[in-house]
Structure formats: structure tokens, C-alpha cells
Amino acid sequence: MSRGGPIKEGNYTNPCLTMHQPWASLLVHGIKRIEGRSWPAPIRGRLWIHAASKIPDDDTIKAMEDFYREIYAVNGITDIKFPEHYPVSRLLGCVEVVGCLRCEELVQWEMLPEGVRLEGQTDFCWLCEQPKKLLVPFEMRGYQRVYNLEKKIYEAAVRGLVPVDGPAPVKFPLPNPRDPFSLKPGSISASFPDSKVSAIEKSASLSTAIAGARAAATQFSKGPNLGTNTIHNSTPDSTSSKMRKISVEYNKIPDSNLKEGLKANSALEQINYFEEEGSSSHNELPAHLKQHPGAPSKIFAAAVRGLKPS
């Protein structure tokens, strides 16, 4: 195990996940305890959290803060200190990923507070504990899915971490304390056979907050078609411009935190959606580059903003 690295299944040294705001800060501040994805967590242990470059609008922030106010209120918790700022293009801190369950398993796990179970809104729920934030967030660019932090960034960041006291920290019990991967899809029914699905009574305000949170996520949703654009884009580690095919799938509702932006899965994982931090957003589109007729303008513009002159 590398110094500072987590227990892991893949080739990860200091794994990091890029998330949109406000979800990224809500996770690092211990308010958000479940990170939602369409794919199971590939690691256990420390996961660094990076905020993508998209600036959240006021309506999105309000919708998500209202959502968490309501689900905490289910357990009688009303004193929630939300972040004062939601910085973008920054490494914010880290959490400990202790397990991963399917949404239906999380919902039926009666050992957990009702508010935690209400956070389960996606296919796979990554269970997060022990949030820590950076005293000074680091500016950096992000990538798709889970990736390794550069060594120099990790070595600087690990010295600036401070623990965070969330409104209601949760300890997720492992079915087998000796096996860090024992809390996985299918483990609840096998390890806790007495768990039953119990309906959580939802007030009108809670139902409204859930609907608002889901609506906030739809800003990252896609249309009914598959568009492919070929554009000039520089690789992260090179200043030379290379042709890169960017395949954009936009036929499903995305699935982050209540959702992550452009959903990458199977054959589409070559997508490089997140912009290179610090790059100009005013580069002109080459004359030969045309928008695919089926591509929504916002998605096309998001890809173009990452362009550099050839």
C-alpha cells in the first residue's frame, strides 16, 4: 500500500473524484453522506474530492440546501451549517469510502437513520465517512471517473487537511470488519436478513425538496440521441494539440450526487468532459468544426470550452 493510499481494487494510489458544485462541497463538509453513481465504487478508503469548473447557480444551491435541510429534519436535526462558498476548479478535501450498495439496499437498511436512506437516489450509493477539508483548496483540473492525484499535489494537500464535524456523522457497520470490501451490493440481505423495507413518511415539504433536488440534477441531463464530435483538444500532460474524438452520450438522466455531468460508461469512457482549469473559454471554434445536429447546444458548448488553438 502506498503512503497515504487507500485499500483498493484498481490501480489507484491516491484516488480522486471530480464532482460538480454544490455536491462536492456538501460531501467534504460532511452534510452529504452518500455519493451516487451509475457504477460501483472501485476503492475503499480515502477518496479525494475535486470540484469541477462549472459555477453553480443560486437556484441549484438553494435546491440542494433545501433538500438536506428536509432530510436532516426527519431525524430532528435543524442546525446545519452550509458552506459559505462553493469554489470551482479546486481540490477541496477527502472522505473515506467504506462501502457501496445499490439504492434499494440502502433504502431498506433500517440500521441507518431515515435521512441517510433518503439520500439514496441513484443506482449505486457510495457510503462516505470521516470528511476532511483543505484549509486552502488547491487549484487543479479534473478528469472523468476515479483517477490518481499527482504525487506533488497529494504531498502538499495531505498536510493541509483538517477534520470536519458534520451535522450527523454516520458509522456504516461492515458485515465483516476484517474485509474492507464486505459492504458491497448484495451484502445487506445476506448479512442482515432481518432488514425490512419500512416506508418513510414524507411531508409535503420533504416531497417538494426531493423533487427540487432531482430537478437541480436535470441541468446535466441529455437528449434522446448520440452525437459524436471530433475536436482539437490538448492532452493534460502535453502542450501539443492532438485530435481527440469526444463521444457524448445524452440519452439517460445522469447519476451523480444526485448527479455528475456527462455520464461515462462502457464504450464512452474516452470522453474528457471537464475543462482544463485555467484554459481560455474564449477560443474561437475552427471553421471546419460543426455542431452535430442532434447535440444540445449546452453540451456542445461545454466540449468546445476546453479547446486550445492548434
Tab-separated table of all heavy atoms in Angstrom, residues 231-281:
chain	number	residue	atom	x	y	z
A	231	ILE	N	-12.890	17.129	-32.223
A	231	ILE	CA	-12.411	18.474	-31.965
A	231	ILE	C	-10.938	18.451	-31.617
A	231	ILE	O	-10.369	17.404	-31.336
A	231	ILE	CB	-13.189	19.129	-30.802
A	231	ILE	CG1	-12.883	18.410	-29.489
A	231	ILE	CG2	-14.656	19.147	-31.072
A	231	ILE	CD1	-13.501	19.065	-28.281
A	232	HIS	N	-10.313	19.595	-31.667
A	232	HIS	CA	-8.933	19.729	-31.227
A	232	HIS	C	-8.940	19.917	-29.725
A	232	HIS	O	-9.626	20.772	-29.197
A	232	HIS	CB	-8.265	20.939	-31.893
A	232	HIS	CG	-7.939	20.717	-33.326
A	232	HIS	ND1	-6.858	19.970	-33.741
A	232	HIS	CD2	-8.565	21.143	-34.463
A	232	HIS	CE1	-6.804	19.949	-35.055
A	232	HIS	NE2	-7.843	20.658	-35.522
A	233	ASN	N	-8.124	19.136	-29.035
A	233	ASN	CA	-8.046	19.276	-27.578
A	233	ASN	C	-6.679	18.827	-27.139
A	233	ASN	O	-6.148	17.845	-27.649
A	233	ASN	CB	-9.132	18.432	-26.904
A	233	ASN	CG	-9.319	18.817	-25.458
A	233	ASN	OD1	-8.874	19.873	-25.051
A	233	ASN	ND2	-9.983	17.972	-24.699
A	234	SER	N	-6.082	19.542	-26.214
A	234	SER	CA	-4.756	19.187	-25.737
A	234	SER	C	-4.855	18.153	-24.644
A	234	SER	O	-5.748	18.185	-23.817
A	234	SER	CB	-4.032	20.426	-25.188
A	234	SER	OG	-3.839	21.360	-26.211
A	235	THR	N	-3.927	17.217	-24.628
A	235	THR	CA	-3.891	16.236	-23.556
A	235	THR	C	-3.430	16.905	-22.290
A	235	THR	O	-2.716	17.910	-22.326
A	235	THR	CB	-2.930	15.086	-23.907
A	235	THR	OG1	-1.643	15.635	-24.136
A	235	THR	CG2	-3.393	14.350	-25.158
A	236	PRO	N	-3.784	16.380	-21.098
A	236	PRO	CA	-3.445	17.040	-19.837
A	236	PRO	C	-1.960	17.232	-19.637
A	236	PRO	O	-1.525	18.178	-19.015
A	236	PRO	CB	-4.033	16.086	-18.779
A	236	PRO	CG	-5.090	15.325	-19.500
A	236	PRO	CD	-4.603	15.194	-20.902
A	237	ASP	N	-1.134	16.326	-20.145
A	237	ASP	CA	0.286	16.366	-19.846
A	237	ASP	C	1.117	16.852	-21.019
A	237	ASP	O	2.319	16.657	-21.070
A	237	ASP	CB	0.767	14.977	-19.423
A	237	ASP	CG	0.041	14.492	-18.193
A	237	ASP	OD1	-0.185	15.314	-17.294
A	237	ASP	OD2	-0.295	13.305	-18.131
A	238	SER	N	0.498	17.474	-21.989
A	238	SER	CA	1.240	17.919	-23.154
A	238	SER	C	0.680	19.236	-23.646
A	238	SER	O	-0.500	19.505	-23.555
A	238	SER	CB	1.161	16.867	-24.264
A	238	SER	OG	1.722	17.379	-25.453
A	239	THR	N	1.559	20.072	-24.208
A	239	THR	CA	1.095	21.337	-24.760
A	239	THR	C	0.802	21.201	-26.244
A	239	THR	O	0.296	22.124	-26.861
A	239	THR	CB	2.164	22.430	-24.561
A	239	THR	OG1	3.390	21.983	-25.147
A	239	THR	CG2	2.372	22.711	-23.090
A	240	SER	N	1.160	20.066	-26.847
A	240	SER	CA	0.875	19.861	-28.257
A	240	SER	C	-0.584	19.519	-28.449
A	240	SER	O	-1.161	18.768	-27.685
A	240	SER	CB	1.751	18.728	-28.793
A	240	SER	OG	1.436	17.523	-28.140
A	241	SER	N	-1.161	20.094	-29.487
A	241	SER	CA	-2.578	19.861	-29.751
A	241	SER	C	-2.741	18.576	-30.542
A	241	SER	O	-2.020	18.317	-31.489
A	241	SER	CB	-3.159	21.039	-30.534
A	241	SER	OG	-4.508	20.828	-30.815
A	242	LYS	N	-3.707	17.733	-30.129
A	242	LYS	CA	-3.964	16.472	-30.802
A	242	LYS	C	-5.446	16.352	-31.099
A	242	LYS	O	-6.286	16.856	-30.374
A	242	LYS	CB	-3.519	15.285	-29.935
A	242	LYS	CG	-2.022	15.280	-29.621
A	242	LYS	CD	-1.662	14.070	-28.784
A	242	LYS	CE	-0.173	14.052	-28.465
A	242	LYS	NZ	0.199	12.891	-27.640
A	243	MET	N	-5.735	15.639	-32.177
A	243	MET	CA	-7.131	15.393	-32.496
A	243	MET	C	-7.652	14.345	-31.539
A	243	MET	O	-7.045	13.307	-31.356
A	243	MET	CB	-7.259	14.895	-33.939
A	243	MET	CG	-6.946	15.947	-34.977
A	243	MET	SD	-8.089	17.318	-34.923
A	243	MET	CE	-9.553	16.523	-35.535
A	244	ARG	N	-8.791	14.636	-30.917
A	244	ARG	CA	-9.396	13.695	-29.992
A	244	ARG	C	-10.882	13.595	-30.291
A	244	ARG	O	-11.559	14.605	-30.434
A	244	ARG	CB	-9.199	14.162	-28.543
A	244	ARG	CG	-9.943	13.309	-27.539
A	244	ARG	CD	-9.622	13.730	-26.142
A	244	ARG	NE	-8.209	13.582	-25.885
A	244	ARG	CZ	-7.636	13.913	-24.730
A	244	ARG	NH1	-8.348	14.408	-23.762
A	244	ARG	NH2	-6.342	13.748	-24.558
A	245	LYS	N	-11.350	12.379	-30.426
A	245	LYS	CA	-12.777	12.173	-30.653
A	245	LYS	C	-13.479	12.169	-29.315
A	245	LYS	O	-13.102	11.450	-28.407
A	245	LYS	CB	-13.022	10.843	-31.368
A	245	LYS	CG	-14.523	10.572	-31.607
A	245	LYS	CD	-14.752	9.292	-32.377
A	245	LYS	CE	-14.348	9.481	-33.824
A	245	LYS	NZ	-14.698	8.288	-34.631
A	246	ILE	N	-14.486	13.006	-29.192
A	246	ILE	CA	-15.256	13.091	-27.973
A	246	ILE	C	-16.650	12.560	-28.258
A	246	ILE	O	-17.396	13.152	-29.021
A	246	ILE	CB	-15.327	14.526	-27.446
A	246	ILE	CG1	-13.932	14.959	-26.986
A	246	ILE	CG2	-16.323	14.636	-26.312
A	246	ILE	CD1	-13.925	16.259	-26.252
A	247	SER	N	-16.964	11.433	-27.660
A	247	SER	CA	-18.298	10.860	-27.815
A	247	SER	C	-19.146	11.287	-26.650
A	247	SER	O	-18.781	11.082	-25.503
A	247	SER	CB	-18.209	9.328	-27.851
A	247	SER	OG	-17.445	8.909	-28.948
A	248	VAL	N	-20.271	11.897	-26.936
A	248	VAL	CA	-21.140	12.417	-25.896
A	248	VAL	C	-22.428	11.617	-25.883
A	248	VAL	O	-23.173	11.629	-26.857
A	248	VAL	CB	-21.456	13.901	-26.137
A	248	VAL	CG1	-22.357	14.432	-25.042
A	248	VAL	CG2	-20.165	14.703	-26.208
A	249	GLU	N	-22.652	10.901	-24.792
A	249	GLU	CA	-23.898	10.172	-24.678
A	249	GLU	C	-24.868	11.028	-23.900
A	249	GLU	O	-24.574	11.480	-22.821
A	249	GLU	CB	-23.692	8.844	-23.956
A	249	GLU	CG	-24.989	8.045	-23.881
A	249	GLU	CD	-24.885	6.849	-22.968
A	249	GLU	OE1	-23.968	6.834	-22.145
A	249	GLU	OE2	-25.723	5.957	-23.070
A	250	TYR	N	-26.047	11.238	-24.492
A	250	TYR	CA	-27.021	12.032	-23.773
A	250	TYR	C	-28.412	11.443	-23.959
A	250	TYR	O	-29.355	12.091	-24.374
A	250	TYR	CB	-26.993	13.499	-24.194
A	250	TYR	CG	-26.834	13.761	-25.657
A	250	TYR	CD1	-27.927	13.962	-26.472
A	250	TYR	CD2	-25.556	13.816	-26.203
A	250	TYR	CE1	-27.765	14.211	-27.814
A	250	TYR	CE2	-25.394	14.068	-27.535
A	250	TYR	CZ	-26.496	14.277	-28.343
A	250	TYR	OH	-26.329	14.536	-29.662
A	251	ASN	N	-28.533	10.167	-23.585
A	251	ASN	CA	-29.827	9.524	-23.672
A	251	ASN	C	-30.335	9.008	-22.337
A	251	ASN	O	-31.293	8.274	-22.273
A	251	ASN	CB	-29.788	8.365	-24.686
A	251	ASN	CG	-28.823	7.280	-24.257
A	251	ASN	OD1	-28.048	7.487	-23.335
A	251	ASN	ND2	-28.852	6.145	-24.936
A	252	LYS	N	-29.639	9.395	-21.246
A	252	LYS	CA	-30.078	8.969	-19.931
A	252	LYS	C	-29.920	10.116	-18.948
A	252	LYS	O	-29.093	10.991	-19.125
A	252	LYS	CB	-29.237	7.775	-19.427
A	252	LYS	CG	-29.364	6.530	-20.304
A	252	LYS	CD	-28.479	5.424	-19.749
A	252	LYS	CE	-28.526	4.184	-20.623
A	252	LYS	NZ	-27.628	3.131	-20.125
A	253	ILE	N	-30.688	10.072	-17.888
A	253	ILE	CA	-30.512	11.066	-16.833
A	253	ILE	C	-29.236	10.737	-16.094
A	253	ILE	O	-29.023	9.612	-15.691
A	253	ILE	CB	-31.696	11.050	-15.862
A	253	ILE	CG1	-32.955	11.526	-16.613
A	253	ILE	CG2	-31.430	11.936	-14.654
A	253	ILE	CD1	-34.201	11.486	-15.771
A	254	PRO	N	-28.316	11.686	-15.908
A	254	PRO	CA	-27.052	11.409	-15.252
A	254	PRO	C	-27.229	11.092	-13.795
A	254	PRO	O	-28.290	11.275	-13.237
A	254	PRO	CB	-26.256	12.710	-15.435
A	254	PRO	CG	-27.297	13.734	-15.577
A	254	PRO	CD	-28.476	13.073	-16.239
A	255	ASP	N	-26.120	10.627	-13.168
A	255	ASP	CA	-26.316	9.965	-11.902
A	255	ASP	C	-25.357	10.384	-10.830
A	255	ASP	O	-24.984	9.594	-10.009
A	255	ASP	CB	-26.094	8.482	-12.112
A	255	ASP	CG	-24.678	8.243	-12.486
A	255	ASP	OD1	-24.231	8.804	-13.488
A	255	ASP	OD2	-24.002	7.531	-11.767
A	256	SER	N	-24.970	11.544	-10.679
A	256	SER	CA	-24.023	11.880	-9.664
A	256	SER	C	-24.748	12.000	-8.368
A	256	SER	O	-25.921	11.844	-8.309
A	256	SER	CB	-23.347	13.176	-10.029
A	256	SER	OG	-22.767	13.756	-8.931
A	257	ASN	N	-24.245	12.417	-7.399
A	257	ASN	CA	-24.578	13.056	-6.169
A	257	ASN	C	-25.998	13.507	-6.091
A	257	ASN	O	-26.352	14.346	-5.350
A	257	ASN	CB	-23.785	14.332	-6.039
A	257	ASN	CG	-23.043	14.748	-7.270
A	257	ASN	OD1	-23.272	14.296	-8.371
A	257	ASN	ND2	-22.165	15.618	-7.088
A	258	LEU	N	-26.640	13.201	-6.562
A	258	LEU	CA	-27.727	13.352	-7.473
A	258	LEU	C	-27.074	13.869	-8.726
A	258	LEU	O	-27.708	14.339	-9.505
A	258	LEU	CB	-28.750	14.285	-6.930
A	258	LEU	CG	-29.402	13.819	-5.670
A	258	LEU	CD1	-30.230	14.908	-5.072
A	258	LEU	CD2	-30.231	12.627	-5.872
A	259	LYS	N	-26.007	13.865	-9.211
A	259	LYS	CA	-25.508	13.513	-10.499
A	259	LYS	C	-24.258	14.252	-10.935
A	259	LYS	O	-23.993	15.326	-10.508
A	259	LYS	CB	-26.551	13.607	-11.597
A	259	LYS	CG	-27.910	13.225	-11.091
A	259	LYS	CD	-28.187	11.823	-11.139
A	259	LYS	CE	-29.580	11.568	-10.745
A	259	LYS	NZ	-30.127	10.493	-10.390
A	260	GLU	N	-23.553	13.637	-11.894
A	260	GLU	CA	-22.198	14.043	-12.145
A	260	GLU	C	-21.952	14.769	-13.432
A	260	GLU	O	-20.883	15.053	-13.801
A	260	GLU	CB	-21.307	12.797	-12.119
A	260	GLU	CG	-21.422	11.996	-13.395
A	260	GLU	CD	-20.666	10.712	-13.332
A	260	GLU	OE1	-21.252	9.728	-12.918
A	260	GLU	OE2	-19.508	10.715	-13.694
A	261	GLY	N	-22.822	15.096	-14.261
A	261	GLY	CA	-22.494	15.726	-15.506
A	261	GLY	C	-22.606	14.712	-16.607
A	261	GLY	O	-23.489	13.906	-16.591
A	262	LEU	N	-21.723	14.726	-17.550
A	262	LEU	CA	-21.832	13.781	-18.653
A	262	LEU	C	-21.493	12.392	-18.170
A	262	LEU	O	-20.404	12.124	-17.717
A	262	LEU	CB	-20.878	14.196	-19.778
A	262	LEU	CG	-21.243	15.506	-20.454
A	262	LEU	CD1	-20.230	15.841	-21.514
A	262	LEU	CD2	-22.620	15.436	-21.044
A	263	LYS	N	-22.415	11.471	-18.307
A	263	LYS	CA	-22.276	10.119	-17.764
A	263	LYS	C	-21.365	9.303	-18.663
A	263	LYS	O	-21.585	9.193	-19.850
A	263	LYS	CB	-23.669	9.499	-17.695
A	263	LYS	CG	-23.700	8.115	-17.120
A	263	LYS	CD	-25.141	7.670	-17.070
A	263	LYS	CE	-25.266	6.281	-16.515
A	263	LYS	NZ	-26.659	5.862	-16.466
A	264	ALA	N	-20.299	8.735	-18.069
A	264	ALA	CA	-19.388	7.924	-18.855
A	264	ALA	C	-19.613	6.474	-18.518
A	264	ALA	O	-19.582	6.097	-17.376
A	264	ALA	CB	-17.939	8.303	-18.534
A	265	ASN	N	-19.868	5.647	-19.511
A	265	ASN	CA	-19.966	4.232	-19.233
A	265	ASN	C	-19.571	3.435	-20.466
A	265	ASN	O	-19.683	3.892	-21.574
A	265	ASN	CB	-21.359	3.817	-18.740
A	265	ASN	CG	-22.472	4.279	-19.649
A	265	ASN	OD1	-22.225	4.591	-20.817
A	265	ASN	ND2	-23.682	4.335	-19.127
A	266	SER	N	-19.098	2.228	-20.235
A	266	SER	CA	-18.672	1.279	-21.238
A	266	SER	C	-17.837	1.954	-22.312
A	266	SER	O	-16.772	2.487	-22.039
A	266	SER	CB	-19.877	0.560	-21.828
A	266	SER	OG	-20.737	1.474	-22.480
A	267	ALA	N	-18.317	1.927	-23.536
A	267	ALA	CA	-17.519	2.380	-24.676
A	267	ALA	C	-17.302	3.876	-24.711
A	267	ALA	O	-16.518	4.361	-25.510
A	267	ALA	CB	-18.190	1.948	-25.972
A	268	LEU	N	-17.965	4.634	-23.837
A	268	LEU	CA	-17.877	6.088	-23.911
A	268	LEU	C	-16.935	6.675	-22.883
A	268	LEU	O	-16.952	7.863	-22.623
A	268	LEU	CB	-19.268	6.699	-23.739
A	268	LEU	CG	-20.259	6.281	-24.828
A	268	LEU	CD1	-21.622	6.859	-24.517
A	268	LEU	CD2	-19.784	6.735	-26.179
A	269	GLU	N	-16.088	5.890	-22.292
A	269	GLU	CA	-15.266	6.388	-21.208
A	269	GLU	C	-14.071	7.195	-21.687
A	269	GLU	O	-13.281	7.670	-20.889
A	269	GLU	CB	-14.793	5.233	-20.328
A	269	GLU	CG	-15.949	4.659	-19.543
A	269	GLU	CD	-15.508	3.532	-18.643
A	269	GLU	OE1	-14.302	3.431	-18.392
A	269	GLU	OE2	-16.371	2.767	-18.207
A	270	GLN	N	-13.913	7.333	-23.030
A	270	GLN	CA	-12.840	8.179	-23.522
A	270	GLN	C	-13.185	9.652	-23.449
A	270	GLN	O	-12.363	10.501	-23.730
A	270	GLN	CB	-12.498	7.827	-24.989
A	270	GLN	CG	-13.562	8.281	-25.983
A	270	GLN	CD	-14.590	7.211	-26.216
A	270	GLN	OE1	-14.853	6.409	-25.325
A	270	GLN	NE2	-15.159	7.178	-27.405
A	271	ILE	N	-14.405	9.964	-23.039
A	271	ILE	CA	-14.834	11.358	-23.010
A	271	ILE	C	-14.015	12.162	-22.016
A	271	ILE	O	-13.682	11.685	-20.957
A	271	ILE	CB	-16.325	11.453	-22.660
A	271	ILE	CG1	-16.803	12.892	-22.778
A	271	ILE	CG2	-16.607	10.954	-21.284
A	271	ILE	CD1	-18.295	13.025	-22.641
A	272	ASN	N	-13.654	13.375	-22.371
A	272	ASN	CA	-12.938	14.264	-21.466
A	272	ASN	C	-13.800	15.491	-21.287
A	272	ASN	O	-13.608	16.510	-21.919
A	272	ASN	CB	-11.577	14.635	-22.051
A	272	ASN	CG	-10.768	15.481	-21.103
A	272	ASN	OD1	-11.066	15.542	-19.919
A	272	ASN	ND2	-9.746	16.128	-21.621
A	273	TYR	N	-14.796	15.374	-20.406
A	273	TYR	CA	-15.806	16.428	-20.274
A	273	TYR	C	-15.304	17.630	-19.522
A	273	TYR	O	-15.553	18.769	-19.871
A	273	TYR	CB	-17.035	15.850	-19.571
A	273	TYR	CG	-18.039	16.880	-19.138
A	273	TYR	CD1	-18.804	17.577	-20.057
A	273	TYR	CD2	-18.219	17.166	-17.794
A	273	TYR	CE1	-19.720	18.521	-19.649
A	273	TYR	CE2	-19.142	18.102	-17.385
A	273	TYR	CZ	-19.886	18.772	-18.322
A	273	TYR	OH	-20.788	19.701	-17.920
A	274	PHE	N	-14.564	17.403	-18.438
A	274	PHE	CA	-14.194	18.526	-17.596
A	274	PHE	C	-13.150	19.391	-18.281
A	274	PHE	O	-12.200	18.897	-18.863
A	274	PHE	CB	-13.665	18.027	-16.243
A	274	PHE	CG	-14.714	17.295	-15.483
A	274	PHE	CD1	-14.644	15.922	-15.321
A	274	PHE	CD2	-15.804	17.970	-14.957
A	274	PHE	CE1	-15.630	15.247	-14.642
A	274	PHE	CE2	-16.790	17.299	-14.273
A	274	PHE	CZ	-16.696	15.931	-14.120
A	275	GLU	N	-13.322	20.684	-18.198
A	275	GLU	CA	-12.432	21.617	-18.843
A	275	GLU	C	-11.071	21.631	-18.168
A	275	GLU	O	-10.939	21.362	-16.988
A	275	GLU	CB	-13.002	23.033	-18.762
A	275	GLU	CG	-14.371	23.173	-19.383
A	275	GLU	CD	-14.933	24.538	-19.107
A	275	GLU	OE1	-14.144	25.488	-19.027
A	275	GLU	OE2	-16.144	24.642	-18.939
A	276	GLU	N	-10.064	21.983	-18.942
A	276	GLU	CA	-8.752	22.163	-18.342
A	276	GLU	C	-8.759	23.474	-17.589
A	276	GLU	O	-8.999	24.531	-18.144
A	276	GLU	CB	-7.672	22.185	-19.417
A	276	GLU	CG	-6.278	22.347	-18.828
A	276	GLU	CD	-5.198	22.103	-19.854
A	276	GLU	OE1	-5.533	21.779	-20.999
A	276	GLU	OE2	-4.031	22.256	-19.497
A	277	GLU	N	-8.510	23.389	-16.297
A	277	GLU	CA	-8.592	24.582	-15.469
A	277	GLU	C	-7.545	25.592	-15.916
A	277	GLU	O	-6.390	25.262	-16.154
A	277	GLU	CB	-8.366	24.228	-13.996
A	277	GLU	CG	-9.225	23.073	-13.528
A	277	GLU	CD	-10.708	23.326	-13.728
A	277	GLU	OE1	-11.100	24.493	-13.867
A	277	GLU	OE2	-11.458	22.354	-13.761
A	278	GLY	N	-7.948	26.836	-15.983
A	278	GLY	CA	-7.036	27.892	-16.375
A	278	GLY	C	-7.016	28.137	-17.875
A	278	GLY	O	-6.411	29.095	-18.337
A	279	SER	N	-7.647	27.256	-18.657
A	279	SER	CA	-7.655	27.475	-20.095
A	279	SER	C	-8.679	28.543	-20.459
A	279	SER	O	-9.635	28.774	-19.757
A	279	SER	CB	-7.992	26.167	-20.820
A	279	SER	OG	-9.306	25.761	-20.510
A	280	SER	N	-8.449	29.188	-21.584
A	280	SER	CA	-9.352	30.257	-22.002
A	280	SER	C	-10.694	29.694	-22.432
A	280	SER	O	-10.770	28.665	-23.065
A	280	SER	CB	-8.726	31.034	-23.161
A	280	SER	OG	-9.655	31.949	-23.684
A	281	SER	N	-11.755	30.398	-22.081
A	281	SER	CA	-13.084	29.985	-22.518
A	281	SER	C	-13.528	30.787	-23.737
A	281	SER	O	-14.675	30.744	-24.133
A	281	SER	CB	-14.097	30.189	-21.386
A	281	SER	OG	-14.144	31.552	-21.020
